[in-house]
Amino acid sequence: MTTKIFTPEEIKDLKVAAIARKYKCSDDYVRRVLKGDRERNTEMAKGIMKDATDMLAIVERETTEVL
């Protein structure tokens, strides 16, 4: 199973500060986890990856119906 490495463009689309605030860590730590510079074996890193993946899916999805 390959691990997602976020591109600089994808990281720009994410609200890194919000993720950092949620996990009580630095913006830099979140960016390092997303880029793959830090290990992703801790519960915090796994949570950061899950939340970032979910956020990016929302940003990239095609909205067909506007309310």
Side-chain angles (χ1 to χ4, degrees), residues 3-57:
T3 303
K4 168 88 172 131
I5 303 292
F6 286 82
T7 65
E9 292 78 27
E10 291 171 329
I11 293 172
K12 285 179 187 177
D13 288 341
L14 298 172
K15 188 70 172 171
V16 173
I19 297 171
R21 187 170 45 252
K22 177 179 178 180
Y23 290 98
K24 296 177 178 66
C25 63
S26 69
D27 294 7
D28 185 57
Y29 179 78
V30 172
R31 281 189 191 88
R32 289 176 185 265
V33 169
L34 297 178
K35 288 184 198 174
D37 294 342
R38 295 284 306 205
E39 292 293 325
R40 297 171 175 179
N41 54 357
T42 65
E43 290 302 315
M44 181 186 295
K46 290 175 186 176
I48 289 169
M49 288 299 296
K50 171 81 171 91
D51 289 347
T53 302
D54 292 347
M55 289 172 75
L56 195 59

